[in-house]
Amino acid sequence: MEFEKPFAEPTGRRIRVRLGGGLVADSSRARLLVQYGRGGLPTYYLPREDVAAGALANPRAGSAGQQVWDVAVGSKRAEAGAWEHANPTGDLAELAGHVTFSWRQLEWYEEDERVLVHARDPYKRVDTLRSSRRVQIYLEGQKVADSIRPLLLFETHLPVRYYLPAEDVRTDLLEASDTVTSCPYKGMARYWSVRLGQNLVRDVMWSYPDPIPENPKIRDLFCFFNERVDLVVDGLPQDRPDTPWS
């Protein structure tokens, strides 16, 4: 899967970063870095002047030579929780003098709403369309879902996802998993495994019990990894896509 070259641009959104409820940074002058792949995911870079005094501690060189800091607010500390861009030159020159923060250790807000995992890419779309296609899902030759009322989710750079009502899925084969993931475009997903005799196919399906307000139609529907099941749409077997989840 190939992505375009990273680029940075201004954002009109007020960006705030917190650690344990304490304010780390507050900026209306942030820059959005759109990137994918080994370099990371989209994030915001904030001017150093918009970082709270004393929040950046223990400066040192990172693995790529960039400056790295711990983040400290009150008794809370995030080790290596902040850093500069490793190469703020050329198309990324505007990131010089700016700093970004760990999305795993700190809390990010666009205006007054929290954003999870990474910044939202304004050039990425997530569309959901109700459909009457017949969608059949097979695992190890056994049919585990059959629906003529799927919800199709189209997300930039990713394969089409087929969200199915619980009534059209062999729920008797499902076992709830402890796995939980988050997506800035959809919300928090909970995973399910499928039990086929003595074989447990782990985390092959997910659902969003409480999706973000922008994506309400996927609530409580089930979606299988195209990469890990045999998918048939309108009688035509589909190739398994090659993605990071393959």
Side-chain angles (χ1 to χ4, degrees), residues 121-133:
D121 178 353
Y123 303 101
K124 181 185 178 86
R125 288 187 63 92
V126 179
D127 297 312
T128 53
L129 298 173
R130 293 186 176 91
S131 175
S132 58
R133 294 176 185 246

Side-chain angles (χ1 to χ4, degrees), residues 14-26 50-53 55 72-73:
R14 180 185 182 186
I15 305 301
R16 280 177 283 188
V17 183
R18 295 182 180 275
L19 176 63
L23 184 66
V24 173
D26 185 346
D50 294 342
V51 178
V73 177

Side-chain angles (χ1 to χ4, degrees), residues 158-180:
L158 292 177
V160 179
R161 300 298 189 188
Y162 299 87
Y163 283 77
L164 311 177
E167 296 82 359
D168 297 341
V169 177
R170 286 283 307 275
T171 54
D172 59 302
L173 301 176
L174 303 183
E175 294 187 11
S177 168
D178 293 331
T179 301
V180 176

Side-chain angles (χ1 to χ4, degrees), residues 4-245:
E4 297 180 358
K5 183 179 179 182
F7 64 92
E9 63 182 23
T11 178
R13 306 180 187 201
R14 180 185 182 186
I15 305 301
R16 280 177 283 188
V17 183
R18 295 182 180 275
L19 176 63
L23 184 66
V24 173
D26 185 346
S27 182
S28 297
R29 305 180 296 159
R31 294 291 188 270
L32 171 65
L33 173 64
V34 178
Q35 61 179 354
Y36 295 93
R38 292 185 178 181
L41 293 166
T43 190
Y44 292 106
Y45 276 80
L46 286 62
R48 286 276 303 276
E49 309 90 82
D50 294 342
V51 178
L56 300 180
N58 188 25
R60 56 196 183 275
S63 59
Q66 78 277 35
Q67 184 107 311
V68 173
W69 297 266
D70 295 341
V71 178
V73 177
S75 61
K76 301 293 184 179
R77 194 176 189 92
E79 185 175 351
W83 57 89
E84 294 178 328
H85 194 274
N87 188 30
T89 59
D91 294 340
L92 303 181
E94 64 187 84
L95 299 182
H98 290 60
V99 61
T100 192
F101 300 90
S102 166
W103 286 78
R104 180 177 57 83
Q105 300 182 81
L106 288 88
E107 301 172 1
W108 287 79
Y109 294 83
E110 295 176 346
E111 298 298 334
D112 293 338
E113 295 194 8
R114 188 172 178 188
V115 182
L116 301 174
V117 185
H118 62 79
R120 297 188 182 106
D121 178 353
Y123 303 101
K124 181 185 178 86
R125 288 187 63 92
V126 179
D127 297 312
T128 53
L129 298 173
R130 293 186 176 91
S131 175
S132 58
R133 294 176 185 246
R134 185 178 185 187
V135 176
Q136 298 168 291
I137 305 290
Y138 294 86
L139 262 175
E140 300 181 3
Q142 184 169 337
K143 186 190 293 183
V144 296
D146 191 338
S147 181
I148 56 171
R149 47 181 178 167
L151 181 78
L152 274 58
L153 187 144
F154 300 88
E155 185 170 355
T156 308
H157 299 310
L158 292 177
V160 179
R161 300 298 189 188
Y162 299 87
Y163 283 77
L164 311 177
E167 296 82 359
D168 297 341
V169 177
R170 286 283 307 275
T171 54
D172 59 302
L173 301 176
L174 303 183
E175 294 187 11
S177 168
D178 293 331
T179 301
V180 176
T181 62
S182 296
C183 170
Y185 306 103
K186 297 186 285 293
M188 184 173 292
R190 298 190 178 277
Y191 284 73
W192 302 80
S193 301
V194 174
R195 171 73 67 180
L196 298 174
Q198 298 300 313
N199 186 24
L200 183 67
V201 185
R202 297 185 181 277
D203 294 343
V204 73
M205 189 188 73
W206 68 88
S207 65
Y208 286 92
D210 189 23
I212 65 172
E214 291 84 354
N215 237 324
K217 290 192 287 184
I218 63 174
R219 182 186 301 274
D220 291 330
L221 299 180
F222 288 134
C223 185
F224 290 85
F225 276 109
N226 309 34
E227 299 89 337
R228 304 178 192 174
V229 300
D230 295 316
L231 171 67
V232 179
V233 179
D234 287 338
L236 297 176
Q238 307 294 303
D239 293 333
R240 294 190 179 189
D242 181 16
T243 76
W245 298 278

